[in-house]
Structures are given as structure tokens and as C-alpha cells.
Amino acid sequence: MTVAPTDATGRAAEVLSRPVALNGLTVPNRIVMAPMTRQFSPGGVPGEDVVSYYARRAAAGVGLIVTEGTYVDHPSAGISDRIPRFHGEEQLAGWAKVAEAVHAAGGRIVPQLWHVGMVREQGQPPFPEAPAVGPSGLRLDGAEGGKEMTQADIDDVVAAFAKAAADAERIGFDGVELHGAHGYLIDQFLWAGTNRRTDAYGGDPVARTRFAVEVVQAVRAAVSPGFPVVFRFSQWKTNHYGARLAETPEELEAILTPLATAGVDAFHASTRRYWLPEFDGSDLNLAGWTRKLTGRPAITVGSVGLDGEFGRAFLGEGAELRGIDDLLDRLERDEFDMVAVGRAVLQDPEWAAKVLAGRFDELTSYDAASLTSLS
């Protein structure tokens, strides 16, 4: 299926090609490559295929690349030995090559720093002996299955995020993104469903931000003042799509304000369909509300260019094309600042170049087999 040219054809370049500042970084356009886990890094080391994968998309006009999630230096951070790690001499050398290649192609790139928390199962690599850890030792379904984090555990993980951020700046990245979404560790502290603590890290929504705030503060202290810190968050959790951190704009503001104050330069608001309003009584989506409430730049994401949410891809399902006229409308009225594109860019490395040139007739529908593509 192809999408016939619409009024988007003539204005896509104008709207999407505007530069945007994230703290001290100027991104040349509004297109972001969303983080997508692919498990193509044996031993946690990104190889030459990963280098070319990111460089190819930067060369095609993606303004900012957010890498796939990459584990911080904590034994309980991961679930696979094929997902990249952001620690270790060989791993960081591989990432340095990625950053260098993306810059040579004209792009900007930030690693997504990740700890999976209670999503981990006992015995999983890369460190099988490590227990699953979380704020209360609870999985997303409320079942017990791991270790409640002590203060020492919390301090160790906070330090691991800070070290990874410092390493990112040292080896040439343009900023960092902290993965605080989708039911992983930082989000497990934010969400009442997994945070039942009665100390300073649990309680009301503001108290539940303390762990995330400490991570942000430590990262901010470990990098240069102009080095961007992006925070990705979501209402939904993996396999718990109805979960919510906030039921009202006021509750969302209570959660986001401490994070902005701690040093978040931009928020990446993850939704499954960007066109859906977040709260009753307003057409604003989650990124729109985030920008309005914090004053920080906001990145929207969720089925951009496709008619069908991403979860179906894991069931082997494809997705037909969807126009972006409404997306351009929202960008023009500054509802949000940037747009992250996942499956469409995974499917077609030239997606950004085609859209920026108005070549919508060359776009094709999404084939779930692209999830295993190395190109």
C-alpha cells in the first residue's frame, strides 16, 4: 500500500526541517529515531553492523538518533547477552564507533540508558546469578519474584546511571536518554502498582519520583552543563496497557515537575498512538501536556506514519500506512517539539529522506519481518 500525496507533501520539509535546541545541543530537524531493541550485539558489544545500521539512518536525514536500550553497569540491569551494554572496554569502544559514524553522516545521537528491574527473570544473562531487583520486589502483575532494593542497591544503580552518562560524553555522544518508561526499573518506582515502599522512595506520586530524581541529579552532576539529559516516560507498561501514572493533568504535573527541576532537559513521552488525547476535555496528547506543564521540549511517539500500534509487530503483524497531516498540524502549533519514529524507520532506512522531500508515494506499509533486519 502507498499513501497518495496530500497537503503534507508541500509542507513536510518546512515543518520538520526546523532546527531545535535541547540544552546545548542543536538538532538539525524534528525527526527522532525511536529506541528499538533488536538483540544484534553478541556479548553486549555493538559491532560494525550496528554502526552501519545507525549511520545509514543518520545519512538519510534523521536529526536525532536514540539508540536501542543499553544496559548500565549493574548485574541485575539486563535480560539478554545480545542486547548492548554501556559498560566495559570492548562495549564502549563499539559505541564510540557508532557515535563517530553517525556524526560523519550528519546526525546527532544519544544512548538510551536502561535497567530492566523486575522484568528480569532469575538466571537470565548477561549475569545469570544476579537477582531481579525493584522498589518492592514486585512484578508488573503484582506477583512477588525478586528482591526489594536496599539503600545500598539504590545507591549502586544511581551511580551506574551517572557513570554511563559520563562515559557517553567522554566517547563522543551528544546527550543521554534515561529509560523511565514501559514498566522498567525507573518506572517501577514511579508507578503505584510496583512501588509499595513506606520509606522516602514510596508513598504519594511526588515521593515515588525520588529514585528518578536522584538518577537525574547524579547524571546531571556527572556531565557538562550543556550536555542534554532526556527522560523517557509512559503511562502504559509492557503488557499492562491500561496502567497510568496520572489520571489528571494536575497529577502529571506533580510527577514531572521534580524531574524537570532535577535537570531533565527534554521529555520523551511514549504513547502507543500519538493522535489520541491524554485527558478528557483536551486534544493534547501526552507530549503536548508534558510541554505545557513543564515548559521543557517534548518528543512525541506512537505509530507515526502507520495505522496500527507497535505491539502487534511482536505478534508478526504488519501495519498499513497512515498520513502525517495531523502530525504536521500539531508540530506547527507547537503542541510538541519533535517526533520519534520507530517501525517506519526500521522498515525503511530512507524514511526521513522521503518524507522531508515529500516523496510519500515511495513509502510502503510495515512488514513485521523488518524487526529482524540488519540493514
Side-chain angles (χ1 to χ4, degrees):
M1 176 182 175
T2 59
V3 171
T6 67
D7 63 308
T9 304
R11 65 183 177 126
E14 178 183 354
V15 175
L16 292 170
S17 294
R18 297 174 297 164
V20 60
L22 304 179
N23 195 345
L25 175 69
T26 298
V27 180
N29 64 47
R30 303 302 175 106
I31 300 175
V32 179
M33 180 176 175
M36 292 172 284
T37 297
R38 302 185 311 135
Q39 301 204 49
F40 288 132
S41 297
V45 180
E48 291 301 324
D49 57 324
V50 177
V51 173
S52 62
Y53 166 76
Y54 287 116
R56 186 176 180 188
R57 285 153 178 84
V62 171
L64 177 66
I65 289 171
V66 181
T67 74
E68 60 210 283
T70 179
Y71 300 143
V72 297
D73 187 7
H74 187 265
S76 297
I79 56 174
S80 169
D81 197 40
R82 294 183 58 84
I83 290 175
R85 305 201 287 270
F86 213 82
H87 59 92
E89 183 177 351
E90 191 177 2
Q91 288 83 359
L92 292 177
W95 279 122
K97 292 179 181 178
V98 172
E100 181 181 12
V102 167
H103 291 155
R108 309 289 186 270
I109 184 168
V110 302
Q112 186 188 72
L113 305 180
W114 189 19
H115 191 302
V116 303
M118 290 298 301
V119 172
R120 176 177 172 78
E121 299 287 347
Q122 185 63 43
Q124 286 183 310
F127 303 106
E129 71 285 357
V133 300
S136 302
L138 299 177
R139 303 199 179 279
L140 297 183
D141 61 3
E144 296 181 0
K147 175 187 176 184
E148 178 175 316
M149 294 174 73
T150 65
Q151 186 65 56
D153 294 327
I154 289 172
D155 293 344
D156 286 346
V157 173
V158 169
F161 274 99
K163 183 179 184 300
D167 284 337
E169 184 171 27
R170 177 177 59 81
I171 65 176
F173 279 82
D174 299 298
V176 293
E177 176 170 285
L178 307 177
H179 197 340
H182 306 163
Y184 297 113
L185 181 62
I186 294 176
D187 193 23
Q188 289 161 22
F189 274 88
L190 295 175
W191 187 40
T194 44
N195 186 346
R196 309 288 177 80
R197 297 177 74 100
T198 57
D199 62 3
Y201 294 93
D204 64 29
V206 175
R208 293 197 302 271
T209 69
R210 177 168 176 165
F211 175 72
V213 165
E214 289 185 359
V215 171
V216 173
Q217 289 173 332
V219 166
R220 184 77 274 160
V223 298
S224 300
F227 194 69
V229 176
V230 181
F231 189 90
R232 195 179 212 215
F233 77 100
S234 67
Q235 298 261 42
W236 64 274
K237 321 301 170 197
T238 302
N239 296 325
H240 294 267
Y241 299 120
R244 296 177 70 81
L245 295 179
E247 296 291 346
T248 66
E250 292 76 18
E251 290 179 359
L252 183 63
E253 184 175 21
I255 294 165
L256 297 182
T257 297
L259 296 169
T261 301
V264 170
D265 297 302
F267 287 94
H268 189 173
S270 178
T271 56
R272 297 164 68 206
R273 302 173 184 87
Y274 77 85
W275 56 87
L276 297 181
E278 192 57 38
F279 301 113
D280 292 340
S282 170
D283 291 334
L284 291 177
N285 71 4
L286 185 61
W289 275 109
T290 297
R291 188 180 193 273
K292 179 177 180 178
L293 294 171
T294 68
R296 298 291 194 272
I299 304 167
T300 197
V301 68
S303 302
V304 173
L306 298 172
D307 189 9
E309 59 90 20
F310 84 98
R312 296 176 184 173
F314 297 102
L315 301 176
E317 298 181 19
E320 297 296 333
L321 292 175
R322 184 179 191 273
I324 62 168
D325 296 282
D326 60 336
L327 177 72
L328 299 179
D329 290 341
R330 290 166 179 256
L331 281 166
E332 282 184 320
R333 61 177 180 256
D334 295 324
E335 179 176 336
F336 38 74
D337 301 272
M338 305 183 77
V339 53
V341 187
R343 288 169 297 155
V345 169
L346 184 64
Q347 166 84 24
D348 184 357
E350 301 293 319
W351 186 89
K354 292 174 181 178
V355 169
L356 290 170
R359 292 154 43 202
F360 291 91
D361 58 335
E362 297 181 24
L363 299 176
T364 58
S365 56
Y366 173 72
D367 177 1
S370 297
L371 281 176
T372 60
S373 172
L374 281 170
S375 62

